[in-house]
Amino acid sequence: MKFCLLIAVAGFYVAAAVSPADNPLIITSQLVQVERLNGKLQEKIDELTVKLAENQFKEKQIQVLKYTKGLLENKCGTDGNVEASNGLTDELVNKVAQLRSIILSLKENIQLSQNTQLKLLNQLQNKCDGHTIQNSGPIIGSISNGMNDFIARSSNCLPMGQQTTIATIEIPRIGPTSVLCDGRTAGPGWLVIQRRFDGSPDFYRSWAEYRNGFGQLGGDYFIGLETLYRLTSSEPHELYIHLENFNGMKSYARYSNFQIGGEDTKYELRMLGAFSGTAGDRLSGSLYSKFSTYDQDNNQGGYYNTAVSYHGGWWYFKNMAEGCNLNGRYFNYETANIQAMSWKDNLSLKSVTMLIRPQRAMYQN
C-alpha cells in the first residue's frame, strides 16, 4: 500500500515538473490525483483503526491470562501442588510474553504507516500550495491525533524514529511521562536518561532527588532512578554514552544489555552486557554496585562516603580509579579533578549524554 502511494506521488511530481504551472488542465489533473490519494489514505486509516481494535482485544486476552495465572498460583499455595502446576504457570507466562510482543510489533507497524501518510500529505500540501484540497484537513487531523495517542501508549521512543523532541510515553507502573527522545546522536528511537552540557543544575543531589529525577528536559537533567528501573526491567535495553571533551573530540561507549534494580536493591547496576565503542570501558567496574548519594552511602567496599568525595551520585565502588563519574561536578574548562564529571583519569568533560533504547531495535534496523 505504501509503495503504491509513493509511486502515485512520484508520478504527480513528474507531471508537475514538466508542465506549466499556469495550465488549468494540468492543475485540474493534479487535484484529481490528490483526491484519489485522499481516498486511499482514508481507506488506510480505516484499516489501522481495525488493527488497533484487534490490539485492544489482545490486551484484554493478556489480562485474562494474568488473572488465570494468579488463580493458579493461589491454588498452588493452598493445595501444595506446586510442582504439578509449575508447567501450567510457565506456559501462561510465555503466552503472555508472546502476545505482548505481537502487540508491540503491531503498534510499531501502525506508527510507521501513519508517519508515511503524514509525510505524503505534507508533501502534497506544499506542492499544491494555493489550491483547495477537499477534506485534507480532517485527514491530517485524524492522523496527527492517532500519532499522539499511539506515542502516549508506547513505553519507549521507537515510534519517534529519527526525530529529536520531547514526547509523552507510558512508563510501566508510573504512567504518562514526558521524556526527551533523541534520533540523531546514535540513530533512531533513543531515550535520553541523563544529559549535561552547561553545568546547571548541580548534580550533587540527595537520594530522593536522584530517585525522582531533576532538571529540565531542554537542558541538563537526570530522568530519575525509579523511572530508569521501570524502563529497564520492562524489557531488555541497550545503553549508549556519548562523550565530548574540551578539544572537541567525541567518543562513545555502548553496552548491549543495561538494567538496574529497584529501590529495595538501592538501584543496583545489575547488567551491562557486551561493550563496544571508542571511549574504552569504564563502567564495568560499577557492575553489581549500589547507587550512592551524599545522604545515602551504599558503597560497601569503601572506607568513606564516596559520593561526598566525588561530589555526585553514582554506582561508586572501591577502586574508582578504574571507574567513571558522569554525575560529578561540572567544570567549564578542562582539568584533572577527582570530583569532575569524567569518564577516565578524572579528566573533566565538556558534555555527556546517556541514552537507552529497547534491545529489539538492534534487530529491526
Side-chain angles (χ1 to χ4, degrees), residues 39-69:
K40 291 180 181 180
L41 288 172
Q42 187 60 54
E43 291 175 1
K44 188 64 177 178
I45 291 171
D46 293 338
E47 179 185 342
L48 295 176
T49 301
V50 172
K51 287 185 178 181
L52 285 174
E54 292 174 352
N55 290 343
Q56 292 172 354
F57 175 73
K58 286 184 173 64
E59 289 174 342
K60 290 181 180 179
Q61 286 182 317
I62 290 175
Q63 293 175 358
V64 172
L65 286 170
K66 287 182 177 179
Y67 177 75
T68 305
K69 175 178 175 288

PDB file of all heavy atoms in Angstrom, residues 39-69:
ATOM      1  N   GLY A  39      -8.604   9.511  -0.876  1.00  0.00           N
ATOM      2  CA  GLY A  39      -9.481   8.358  -0.677  1.00  0.00           C
ATOM      3  C   GLY A  39      -8.713   7.135  -0.220  1.00  0.00           C
ATOM      4  O   GLY A  39      -9.139   6.405   0.685  1.00  0.00           O
ATOM      5  N   LYS A  40      -7.537   6.912  -0.826  1.00  0.00           N
ATOM      6  CA  LYS A  40      -6.725   5.764  -0.429  1.00  0.00           C
ATOM      7  C   LYS A  40      -6.215   5.910   0.997  1.00  0.00           C
ATOM      8  O   LYS A  40      -6.142   4.938   1.751  1.00  0.00           O
ATOM      9  CB  LYS A  40      -5.547   5.608  -1.396  1.00  0.00           C
ATOM     10  CG  LYS A  40      -5.973   5.177  -2.788  1.00  0.00           C
ATOM     11  CD  LYS A  40      -4.766   5.033  -3.713  1.00  0.00           C
ATOM     12  CE  LYS A  40      -5.204   4.615  -5.103  1.00  0.00           C
ATOM     13  NZ  LYS A  40      -4.041   4.464  -6.023  1.00  0.00           N
ATOM     14  N   LEU A  41      -5.855   7.131   1.373  1.00  0.00           N
ATOM     15  CA  LEU A  41      -5.381   7.367   2.732  1.00  0.00           C
ATOM     16  C   LEU A  41      -6.479   7.107   3.750  1.00  0.00           C
ATOM     17  O   LEU A  41      -6.252   6.564   4.822  1.00  0.00           O
ATOM     18  CB  LEU A  41      -4.868   8.803   2.861  1.00  0.00           C
ATOM     19  CG  LEU A  41      -3.554   9.096   2.151  1.00  0.00           C
ATOM     20  CD1 LEU A  41      -3.254  10.587   2.197  1.00  0.00           C
ATOM     21  CD2 LEU A  41      -2.422   8.318   2.784  1.00  0.00           C
ATOM     22  N   GLN A  42      -7.707   7.497   3.398  1.00  0.00           N
ATOM     23  CA  GLN A  42      -8.825   7.253   4.310  1.00  0.00           C
ATOM     24  C   GLN A  42      -9.047   5.756   4.500  1.00  0.00           C
ATOM     25  O   GLN A  42      -9.360   5.278   5.595  1.00  0.00           O
ATOM     26  CB  GLN A  42     -10.095   7.920   3.771  1.00  0.00           C
ATOM     27  CG  GLN A  42     -11.279   7.855   4.746  1.00  0.00           C
ATOM     28  CD  GLN A  42     -10.951   8.559   6.061  1.00  0.00           C
ATOM     29  OE1 GLN A  42     -10.560   9.720   6.072  1.00  0.00           O
ATOM     30  NE2 GLN A  42     -11.071   7.846   7.163  1.00  0.00           N
ATOM     31  N   GLU A  43      -8.894   4.992   3.380  1.00  0.00           N
ATOM     32  CA  GLU A  43      -9.023   3.534   3.484  1.00  0.00           C
ATOM     33  C   GLU A  43      -7.951   2.962   4.402  1.00  0.00           C
ATOM     34  O   GLU A  43      -8.207   2.057   5.193  1.00  0.00           O
ATOM     35  CB  GLU A  43      -8.895   2.903   2.093  1.00  0.00           C
ATOM     36  CG  GLU A  43     -10.061   3.205   1.167  1.00  0.00           C
ATOM     37  CD  GLU A  43      -9.834   2.666  -0.230  1.00  0.00           C
ATOM     38  OE1 GLU A  43      -8.769   2.047  -0.461  1.00  0.00           O
ATOM     39  OE2 GLU A  43     -10.703   2.848  -1.084  1.00  0.00           O
ATOM     40  N   LYS A  44      -6.736   3.518   4.321  1.00  0.00           N
ATOM     41  CA  LYS A  44      -5.646   3.045   5.178  1.00  0.00           C
ATOM     42  C   LYS A  44      -5.929   3.354   6.644  1.00  0.00           C
ATOM     43  O   LYS A  44      -5.656   2.544   7.524  1.00  0.00           O
ATOM     44  CB  LYS A  44      -4.328   3.718   4.757  1.00  0.00           C
ATOM     45  CG  LYS A  44      -3.111   3.142   5.466  1.00  0.00           C
ATOM     46  CD  LYS A  44      -2.899   1.694   5.100  1.00  0.00           C
ATOM     47  CE  LYS A  44      -1.634   1.152   5.771  1.00  0.00           C
ATOM     48  NZ  LYS A  44      -1.431  -0.260   5.474  1.00  0.00           N
ATOM     49  N   ILE A  45      -6.504   4.531   6.898  1.00  0.00           N
ATOM     50  CA  ILE A  45      -6.851   4.906   8.271  1.00  0.00           C
ATOM     51  C   ILE A  45      -7.880   3.930   8.836  1.00  0.00           C
ATOM     52  O   ILE A  45      -7.793   3.492   9.991  1.00  0.00           O
ATOM     53  CB  ILE A  45      -7.387   6.349   8.319  1.00  0.00           C
ATOM     54  CG1 ILE A  45      -6.251   7.336   8.019  1.00  0.00           C
ATOM     55  CG2 ILE A  45      -7.996   6.671   9.683  1.00  0.00           C
ATOM     56  CD1 ILE A  45      -6.716   8.757   7.822  1.00  0.00           C
ATOM     57  N   ASP A  46      -8.879   3.582   8.003  1.00  0.00           N
ATOM     58  CA  ASP A  46      -9.891   2.609   8.453  1.00  0.00           C
ATOM     59  C   ASP A  46      -9.251   1.267   8.777  1.00  0.00           C
ATOM     60  O   ASP A  46      -9.597   0.598   9.765  1.00  0.00           O
ATOM     61  CB  ASP A  46     -10.962   2.427   7.372  1.00  0.00           C
ATOM     62  CG  ASP A  46     -11.788   3.694   7.166  1.00  0.00           C
ATOM     63  OD1 ASP A  46     -11.830   4.544   8.086  1.00  0.00           O
ATOM     64  OD2 ASP A  46     -12.382   3.832   6.079  1.00  0.00           O
ATOM     65  N   GLU A  47      -8.266   0.885   7.946  1.00  0.00           N
ATOM     66  CA  GLU A  47      -7.566  -0.383   8.190  1.00  0.00           C
ATOM     67  C   GLU A  47      -6.784  -0.344   9.497  1.00  0.00           C
ATOM     68  O   GLU A  47      -6.783  -1.298  10.279  1.00  0.00           O
ATOM     69  CB  GLU A  47      -6.614  -0.658   7.025  1.00  0.00           C
ATOM     70  CG  GLU A  47      -5.804  -1.946   7.178  1.00  0.00           C
ATOM     71  CD  GLU A  47      -4.797  -2.102   6.046  1.00  0.00           C
ATOM     72  OE1 GLU A  47      -4.965  -1.434   5.007  1.00  0.00           O
ATOM     73  OE2 GLU A  47      -3.869  -2.891   6.222  1.00  0.00           O
ATOM     74  N   LEU A  48      -6.135   0.796   9.760  1.00  0.00           N
ATOM     75  CA  LEU A  48      -5.379   0.939  11.003  1.00  0.00           C
ATOM     76  C   LEU A  48      -6.299   0.935  12.210  1.00  0.00           C
ATOM     77  O   LEU A  48      -5.950   0.420  13.281  1.00  0.00           O
ATOM     78  CB  LEU A  48      -4.572   2.240  10.976  1.00  0.00           C
ATOM     79  CG  LEU A  48      -3.481   2.307   9.912  1.00  0.00           C
ATOM     80  CD1 LEU A  48      -2.829   3.677   9.915  1.00  0.00           C
ATOM     81  CD2 LEU A  48      -2.438   1.234  10.164  1.00  0.00           C
ATOM     82  N   THR A  49      -7.503   1.504  12.055  1.00  0.00           N
ATOM     83  CA  THR A  49      -8.471   1.502  13.150  1.00  0.00           C
ATOM     84  C   THR A  49      -8.855   0.078  13.525  1.00  0.00           C
ATOM     85  O   THR A  49      -8.971  -0.271  14.709  1.00  0.00           O
ATOM     86  CB  THR A  49      -9.728   2.297  12.744  1.00  0.00           C
ATOM     87  OG1 THR A  49      -9.353   3.632  12.412  1.00  0.00           O
ATOM     88  CG2 THR A  49     -10.738   2.329  13.888  1.00  0.00           C
ATOM     89  N   VAL A  50      -9.029  -0.769  12.511  1.00  0.00           N
ATOM     90  CA  VAL A  50      -9.352  -2.181  12.773  1.00  0.00           C
ATOM     91  C   VAL A  50      -8.208  -2.862  13.507  1.00  0.00           C
ATOM     92  O   VAL A  50      -8.406  -3.617  14.460  1.00  0.00           O
ATOM     93  CB  VAL A  50      -9.648  -2.909  11.440  1.00  0.00           C
ATOM     94  CG1 VAL A  50      -9.795  -4.412  11.679  1.00  0.00           C
ATOM     95  CG2 VAL A  50     -10.903  -2.358  10.808  1.00  0.00           C
ATOM     96  N   LYS A  51      -6.961  -2.550  13.095  1.00  0.00           N
ATOM     97  CA  LYS A  51      -5.810  -3.161  13.755  1.00  0.00           C
ATOM     98  C   LYS A  51      -5.721  -2.740  15.213  1.00  0.00           C
ATOM     99  O   LYS A  51      -5.379  -3.533  16.088  1.00  0.00           O
ATOM    100  CB  LYS A  51      -4.523  -2.782  13.015  1.00  0.00           C
ATOM    101  CG  LYS A  51      -4.362  -3.494  11.696  1.00  0.00           C
ATOM    102  CD  LYS A  51      -3.010  -3.176  11.065  1.00  0.00           C
ATOM    103  CE  LYS A  51      -2.822  -3.918   9.768  1.00  0.00           C
ATOM    104  NZ  LYS A  51      -1.501  -3.641   9.134  1.00  0.00           N
ATOM    105  N   LEU A  52      -6.012  -1.471  15.492  1.00  0.00           N
ATOM    106  CA  LEU A  52      -5.995  -1.007  16.876  1.00  0.00           C
ATOM    107  C   LEU A  52      -7.029  -1.743  17.711  1.00  0.00           C
ATOM    108  O   LEU A  52      -6.794  -2.094  18.868  1.00  0.00           O
ATOM    109  CB  LEU A  52      -6.243   0.505  16.918  1.00  0.00           C
ATOM    110  CG  LEU A  52      -5.083   1.390  16.490  1.00  0.00           C
ATOM    111  CD1 LEU A  52      -5.509   2.847  16.443  1.00  0.00           C
ATOM    112  CD2 LEU A  52      -3.907   1.220  17.422  1.00  0.00           C
ATOM    113  N   ALA A  53      -8.209  -1.988  17.115  1.00  0.00           N
ATOM    114  CA  ALA A  53      -9.249  -2.739  17.830  1.00  0.00           C
ATOM    115  C   ALA A  53      -8.774  -4.154  18.132  1.00  0.00           C
ATOM    116  O   ALA A  53      -9.022  -4.696  19.213  1.00  0.00           O
ATOM    117  CB  ALA A  53     -10.529  -2.765  17.002  1.00  0.00           C
ATOM    118  N   GLU A  54      -8.067  -4.739  17.158  1.00  0.00           N
ATOM    119  CA  GLU A  54      -7.517  -6.086  17.385  1.00  0.00           C
ATOM    120  C   GLU A  54      -6.500  -6.066  18.524  1.00  0.00           C
ATOM    121  O   GLU A  54      -6.442  -6.989  19.345  1.00  0.00           O
ATOM    122  CB  GLU A  54      -6.866  -6.597  16.102  1.00  0.00           C
ATOM    123  CG  GLU A  54      -7.851  -6.877  14.984  1.00  0.00           C
ATOM    124  CD  GLU A  54      -7.149  -7.241  13.686  1.00  0.00           C
ATOM    125  OE1 GLU A  54      -5.910  -7.124  13.630  1.00  0.00           O
ATOM    126  OE2 GLU A  54      -7.835  -7.646  12.751  1.00  0.00           O
ATOM    127  N   ASN A  55      -5.673  -5.014  18.564  1.00  0.00           N
ATOM    128  CA  ASN A  55      -4.690  -4.900  19.649  1.00  0.00           C
ATOM    129  C   ASN A  55      -5.363  -4.821  21.011  1.00  0.00           C
ATOM    130  O   ASN A  55      -4.922  -5.438  21.987  1.00  0.00           O
ATOM    131  CB  ASN A  55      -3.820  -3.656  19.444  1.00  0.00           C
ATOM    132  CG  ASN A  55      -2.893  -3.824  18.267  1.00  0.00           C
ATOM    133  OD1 ASN A  55      -2.665  -4.943  17.811  1.00  0.00           O
ATOM    134  ND2 ASN A  55      -2.366  -2.732  17.752  1.00  0.00           N
ATOM    135  N   GLN A  56      -6.445  -4.026  21.076  1.00  0.00           N
ATOM    136  CA  GLN A  56      -7.165  -3.898  22.341  1.00  0.00           C
ATOM    137  C   GLN A  56      -7.746  -5.240  22.767  1.00  0.00           C
ATOM    138  O   GLN A  56      -7.756  -5.577  23.955  1.00  0.00           O
ATOM    139  CB  GLN A  56      -8.277  -2.854  22.195  1.00  0.00           C
ATOM    140  CG  GLN A  56      -7.751  -1.437  22.009  1.00  0.00           C
ATOM    141  CD  GLN A  56      -8.859  -0.447  21.683  1.00  0.00           C
ATOM    142  OE1 GLN A  56     -10.004  -0.826  21.491  1.00  0.00           O
ATOM    143  NE2 GLN A  56      -8.493   0.826  21.596  1.00  0.00           N
ATOM    144  N   PHE A  57      -8.232  -6.024  21.804  1.00  0.00           N
ATOM    145  CA  PHE A  57      -8.750  -7.350  22.130  1.00  0.00           C
ATOM    146  C   PHE A  57      -7.646  -8.239  22.683  1.00  0.00           C
ATOM    147  O   PHE A  57      -7.836  -8.966  23.660  1.00  0.00           O
ATOM    148  CB  PHE A  57      -9.355  -7.988  20.868  1.00  0.00           C
ATOM    149  CG  PHE A  57      -9.807  -9.409  21.056  1.00  0.00           C
ATOM    150  CD1 PHE A  57     -10.954  -9.687  21.784  1.00  0.00           C
ATOM    151  CD2 PHE A  57      -9.074 -10.456  20.523  1.00  0.00           C
ATOM    152  CE1 PHE A  57     -11.373 -10.992  21.968  1.00  0.00           C
ATOM    153  CE2 PHE A  57      -9.485 -11.769  20.704  1.00  0.00           C
ATOM    154  CZ  PHE A  57     -10.646 -12.051  21.428  1.00  0.00           C
ATOM    155  N   LYS A  58      -6.447  -8.162  22.061  1.00  0.00           N
ATOM    156  CA  LYS A  58      -5.327  -8.974  22.559  1.00  0.00           C
ATOM    157  C   LYS A  58      -4.908  -8.550  23.960  1.00  0.00           C
ATOM    158  O   LYS A  58      -4.527  -9.361  24.792  1.00  0.00           O
ATOM    159  CB  LYS A  58      -4.142  -8.865  21.596  1.00  0.00           C
ATOM    160  CG  LYS A  58      -4.334  -9.633  20.300  1.00  0.00           C
ATOM    161  CD  LYS A  58      -3.082  -9.573  19.435  1.00  0.00           C
ATOM    162  CE  LYS A  58      -3.203 -10.463  18.225  1.00  0.00           C
ATOM    163  NZ  LYS A  58      -4.242 -10.060  17.313  1.00  0.00           N
ATOM    164  N   GLU A  59      -4.961  -7.234  24.234  1.00  0.00           N
ATOM    165  CA  GLU A  59      -4.621  -6.759  25.570  1.00  0.00           C
ATOM    166  C   GLU A  59      -5.599  -7.306  26.609  1.00  0.00           C
ATOM    167  O   GLU A  59      -5.207  -7.657  27.718  1.00  0.00           O
ATOM    168  CB  GLU A  59      -4.617  -5.235  25.592  1.00  0.00           C
ATOM    169  CG  GLU A  59      -3.446  -4.630  24.832  1.00  0.00           C
ATOM    170  CD  GLU A  59      -3.527  -3.118  24.743  1.00  0.00           C
ATOM    171  OE1 GLU A  59      -4.625  -2.583  24.960  1.00  0.00           O
ATOM    172  OE2 GLU A  59      -2.506  -2.490  24.455  1.00  0.00           O
ATOM    173  N   LYS A  60      -6.882  -7.386  26.239  1.00  0.00           N
ATOM    174  CA  LYS A  60      -7.851  -7.980  27.150  1.00  0.00           C
ATOM    175  C   LYS A  60      -7.552  -9.455  27.379  1.00  0.00           C
ATOM    176  O   LYS A  60      -7.712  -9.981  28.487  1.00  0.00           O
ATOM    177  CB  LYS A  60      -9.268  -7.811  26.585  1.00  0.00           C
ATOM    178  CG  LYS A  60      -9.767  -6.368  26.614  1.00  0.00           C
ATOM    179  CD  LYS A  60     -11.176  -6.254  26.066  1.00  0.00           C
ATOM    180  CE  LYS A  60     -11.664  -4.805  26.111  1.00  0.00           C
ATOM    181  NZ  LYS A  60     -13.034  -4.665  25.552  1.00  0.00           N
ATOM    182  N   GLN A  61      -7.083 -10.151  26.324  1.00  0.00           N
ATOM    183  CA  GLN A  61      -6.701 -11.545  26.476  1.00  0.00           C
ATOM    184  C   GLN A  61      -5.550 -11.695  27.469  1.00  0.00           C
ATOM    185  O   GLN A  61      -5.521 -12.619  28.284  1.00  0.00           O
ATOM    186  CB  GLN A  61      -6.289 -12.129  25.120  1.00  0.00           C
ATOM    187  CG  GLN A  61      -7.464 -12.404  24.186  1.00  0.00           C
ATOM    188  CD  GLN A  61      -6.989 -13.015  22.890  1.00  0.00           C
ATOM    189  OE1 GLN A  61      -5.997 -12.587  22.312  1.00  0.00           O
ATOM    190  NE2 GLN A  61      -7.699 -14.049  22.438  1.00  0.00           N
ATOM    191  N   ILE A  62      -4.615 -10.753  27.396  1.00  0.00           N
ATOM    192  CA  ILE A  62      -3.484 -10.792  28.319  1.00  0.00           C
ATOM    193  C   ILE A  62      -3.968 -10.622  29.755  1.00  0.00           C
ATOM    194  O   ILE A  62      -3.498 -11.309  30.675  1.00  0.00           O
ATOM    195  CB  ILE A  62      -2.459  -9.693  27.961  1.00  0.00           C
ATOM    196  CG1 ILE A  62      -1.775 -10.042  26.646  1.00  0.00           C
ATOM    197  CG2 ILE A  62      -1.424  -9.530  29.062  1.00  0.00           C
ATOM    198  CD1 ILE A  62      -0.843  -8.975  26.149  1.00  0.00           C
ATOM    199  N   GLN A  63      -4.921  -9.708  29.972  1.00  0.00           N
ATOM    200  CA  GLN A  63      -5.451  -9.506  31.320  1.00  0.00           C
ATOM    201  C   GLN A  63      -6.111 -10.773  31.842  1.00  0.00           C
ATOM    202  O   GLN A  63      -5.951 -11.135  33.004  1.00  0.00           O
ATOM    203  CB  GLN A  63      -6.453  -8.347  31.297  1.00  0.00           C
ATOM    204  CG  GLN A  63      -5.828  -6.986  31.012  1.00  0.00           C
ATOM    205  CD  GLN A  63      -6.856  -5.885  30.889  1.00  0.00           C
ATOM    206  OE1 GLN A  63      -8.060  -6.143  30.988  1.00  0.00           O
ATOM    207  NE2 GLN A  63      -6.402  -4.665  30.667  1.00  0.00           N
ATOM    208  N   VAL A  64      -6.829 -11.458  30.960  1.00  0.00           N
ATOM    209  CA  VAL A  64      -7.464 -12.728  31.374  1.00  0.00           C
ATOM    210  C   VAL A  64      -6.414 -13.765  31.740  1.00  0.00           C
ATOM    211  O   VAL A  64      -6.534 -14.483  32.732  1.00  0.00           O
ATOM    212  CB  VAL A  64      -8.385 -13.246  30.245  1.00  0.00           C
ATOM    213  CG1 VAL A  64      -8.897 -14.647  30.573  1.00  0.00           C
ATOM    214  CG2 VAL A  64      -9.558 -12.314  30.040  1.00  0.00           C
ATOM    215  N   LEU A  65      -5.355 -13.829  30.928  1.00  0.00           N
ATOM    216  CA  LEU A  65      -4.287 -14.792  31.205  1.00  0.00           C
ATOM    217  C   LEU A  65      -3.599 -14.489  32.535  1.00  0.00           C
ATOM    218  O   LEU A  65      -3.269 -15.397  33.311  1.00  0.00           O
ATOM    219  CB  LEU A  65      -3.262 -14.775  30.071  1.00  0.00           C
ATOM    220  CG  LEU A  65      -3.717 -15.440  28.750  1.00  0.00           C
ATOM    221  CD1 LEU A  65      -2.715 -15.145  27.647  1.00  0.00           C
ATOM    222  CD2 LEU A  65      -3.867 -16.941  28.948  1.00  0.00           C
ATOM    223  N   LYS A  66      -3.361 -13.191  32.782  1.00  0.00           N
ATOM    224  CA  LYS A  66      -2.739 -12.821  34.051  1.00  0.00           C
ATOM    225  C   LYS A  66      -3.635 -13.207  35.229  1.00  0.00           C
ATOM    226  O   LYS A  66      -3.163 -13.687  36.265  1.00  0.00           O
ATOM    227  CB  LYS A  66      -2.458 -11.309  34.082  1.00  0.00           C
ATOM    228  CG  LYS A  66      -1.308 -10.879  33.190  1.00  0.00           C
ATOM    229  CD  LYS A  66      -1.072  -9.392  33.314  1.00  0.00           C
ATOM    230  CE  LYS A  66       0.118  -8.948  32.477  1.00  0.00           C
ATOM    231  NZ  LYS A  66       0.349  -7.489  32.584  1.00  0.00           N
ATOM    232  N   TYR A  67      -4.951 -12.973  35.073  1.00  0.00           N
ATOM    233  CA  TYR A  67      -5.885 -13.325  36.139  1.00  0.00           C
ATOM    234  C   TYR A  67      -5.876 -14.836  36.374  1.00  0.00           C
ATOM    235  O   TYR A  67      -5.848 -15.318  37.511  1.00  0.00           O
ATOM    236  CB  TYR A  67      -7.287 -12.862  35.759  1.00  0.00           C
ATOM    237  CG  TYR A  67      -8.366 -13.241  36.762  1.00  0.00           C
ATOM    238  CD1 TYR A  67      -8.477 -12.558  37.965  1.00  0.00           C
ATOM    239  CD2 TYR A  67      -9.247 -14.283  36.503  1.00  0.00           C
ATOM    240  CE1 TYR A  67      -9.444 -12.906  38.893  1.00  0.00           C
ATOM    241  CE2 TYR A  67     -10.219 -14.643  37.411  1.00  0.00           C
ATOM    242  CZ  TYR A  67     -10.318 -13.956  38.611  1.00  0.00           C
ATOM    243  OH  TYR A  67     -11.271 -14.304  39.520  1.00  0.00           O
ATOM    244  N   THR A  68      -5.861 -15.605  35.276  1.00  0.00           N
ATOM    245  CA  THR A  68      -5.824 -17.067  35.395  1.00  0.00           C
ATOM    246  C   THR A  68      -4.530 -17.521  36.058  1.00  0.00           C
ATOM    247  O   THR A  68      -4.514 -18.426  36.888  1.00  0.00           O
ATOM    248  CB  THR A  68      -5.944 -17.704  33.998  1.00  0.00           C
ATOM    249  OG1 THR A  68      -7.120 -17.206  33.356  1.00  0.00           O
ATOM    250  CG2 THR A  68      -6.036 -19.225  34.105  1.00  0.00           C
ATOM    251  N   LYS A  69      -3.428 -16.865  35.687  1.00  0.00           N
ATOM    252  CA  LYS A  69      -2.138 -17.203  36.293  1.00  0.00           C
ATOM    253  C   LYS A  69      -2.172 -16.970  37.802  1.00  0.00           C
ATOM    254  O   LYS A  69      -1.684 -17.786  38.587  1.00  0.00           O
ATOM    255  CB  LYS A  69      -1.034 -16.345  35.665  1.00  0.00           C
ATOM    256  CG  LYS A  69       0.341 -16.513  36.294  1.00  0.00           C
ATOM    257  CD  LYS A  69       1.356 -15.655  35.552  1.00  0.00           C
ATOM    258  CE  LYS A  69       2.716 -15.720  36.245  1.00  0.00           C
ATOM    259  NZ  LYS A  69       2.692 -14.979  37.500  1.00  0.00           N
TER     260      LYS A  69
END
